[in-house]
Amino acid sequence: MKKSNYRFILLCLIASLSSPSVLFCEEPMIQVSLGAISLDDEIKDLKVLSSGQVKVMNTVYPNTRNGVFSYRGSKKLTFFREKPAVDPDQEPIRIPVAEVELDGKQSRYLLFFAKKSGDAEAYSVFSIPDSASHFPAGSYRFLNLAPYKVAIRIGDEKKILAEKNITDIKGNFEHGQYYETVMLSLPKDGEEPIPAYSGRIHFNKDLRVIMVIYPKEGAREGKIRFISILDRVASQ
């Protein structure tokens, strides 16, 4: 190969290595719509950085969505408070209170804020896809926050709800009817299931039902509590 060709290849290599996109691995940005629900008390004036600017969230209400807001930034969101004072460099002092990392595969998510135990303000945040195509009206969606599986039967439909995960149930349900529902906690393999709930669940073809399952605080393993959130499909 001629020296001129070697020189050309070397120059191209140097140029590519000196490119900012190569030297600095920029974190991928996402642009999504977000809604939020509190599993405890209402949460006011949380802040998050979006498009490099501080954005104040709408109030996050208990057991009902707070509307939808647009977000552009890192896949990992940090929600924070700002102190009235500033640091020695005159920058705002930000106190993180919650974090969540989105997979970036959806255009719309619903966030659930659950207060952590302790005196300091802090929340665990869980996200689920929120578009009508992934979660249509006439569906049951279970968010199992317990550290073990839960078996459920609604009418003739049976499912195992994986721990720390979401499970959708779509059956041959009739509008306006109530269906016998049984839940059993499955704390460990090989152990006897623990009865967790027995009752009836209403079906409405115009609503999607979000059910959030928690371990019952202070109770023995396997005891759960849950809340049911009736949610109309918002415009996409």
Side-chain angles (χ1 to χ4, degrees):
M1 186 179 292
K2 294 182 178 179
K3 288 185 178 180
S4 58
N5 290 338
Y6 278 119
R7 189 178 296 111
F8 174 76
I9 293 172
L10 182 60
L11 289 174
C12 289
L13 181 61
I14 292 172
S16 65
L17 290 176
S18 61
S19 171
S21 62
V22 174
L23 291 175
F24 303 99
C25 297
E26 295 183 1
E27 190 173 358
M29 307 289 279
I30 59 172
Q31 185 162 349
V32 295
S33 296
L34 299 173
I37 292 175
S38 171
L39 300 179
D40 301 286
D41 300 324
E42 70 177 41
I43 308 169
K44 294 184 177 180
D45 302 327
L46 278 183
K47 296 180 179 181
V48 65
L49 286 178
S50 176
S51 298
Q53 303 293 320
V54 174
K55 186 166 191 171
V56 181
M57 288 179 60
N58 299 328
T59 299
V60 184
Y61 295 103
N63 306 337
T64 185
R65 67 168 60 245
N66 70 336
V68 176
F69 70 95
S70 297
Y71 166 82
R72 184 178 184 278
S74 165
K75 290 182 180 179
K76 185 176 182 179
L77 286 73
T78 299
F79 300 91
F80 56 88
R81 301 290 189 191
E82 283 187 337
K83 287 188 174 182
V86 295
D87 67 15
D89 296 324
Q90 300 303 303
E91 295 293 332
I93 300 173
R94 292 172 180 158
I95 313 257
V97 296
E99 288 184 344
V100 64
E101 186 161 358
L102 305 176
D103 59 18
K105 297 177 180 179
Q106 313 296 331
S107 61
R108 187 176 175 122
Y109 295 87
L110 183 58
L111 307 180
F112 292 86
F113 286 76
K115 193 175 189 310
K116 294 181 178 180
S117 58
D119 296 331
E121 183 183 22
Y123 306 94
S124 298
V125 186
F126 307 89
S127 68
I128 63 173
D130 194 36
S131 66
S133 59
H134 287 90
F135 184 23
S139 302
Y140 294 107
R141 172 161 286 182
F142 290 85
L143 174 58
N144 181 15
L145 302 182
Y148 41 78
K149 297 175 182 177
V150 175
I152 184 170
R153 176 175 59 80
I154 305 177
D156 295 328
E157 295 294 320
K158 299 177 182 179
K159 288 275 189 179
I160 298 294
L161 311 179
E163 61 272 30
K164 303 289 184 179
N165 212 332
I166 59 173
T167 304
D168 292 341
I169 297 181
K170 303 172 188 176
N172 188 24
F173 302 118
E174 292 185 27
H175 177 68
Q177 296 298 309
Y178 286 85
Y179 289 89
E180 294 295 330
T181 302
V182 176
M183 295 187 198
L184 299 173
S185 297
L186 309 174
K188 294 179 181 177
D189 292 338
E191 291 190 0
E192 287 293 318
I194 299 172
Y197 173 79
S198 179
R200 298 196 303 165
I201 290 179
H202 184 257
F203 177 75
N204 187 320
K205 66 179 178 61
D206 299 318
L207 297 175
R208 52 189 192 174
V209 181
I210 306 171
M211 291 196 169
V212 185
I213 297 172
Y214 308 80
K216 187 176 287 187
E217 191 171 349
R220 70 187 180 93
E221 187 178 32
K223 289 297 183 181
I224 62 171
R225 66 187 181 98
F226 72 92
I227 59 171
S228 179
I229 301 168
L230 304 181
D231 189 42
R232 290 196 180 274
V233 180
S235 58
Q236 303 297 300

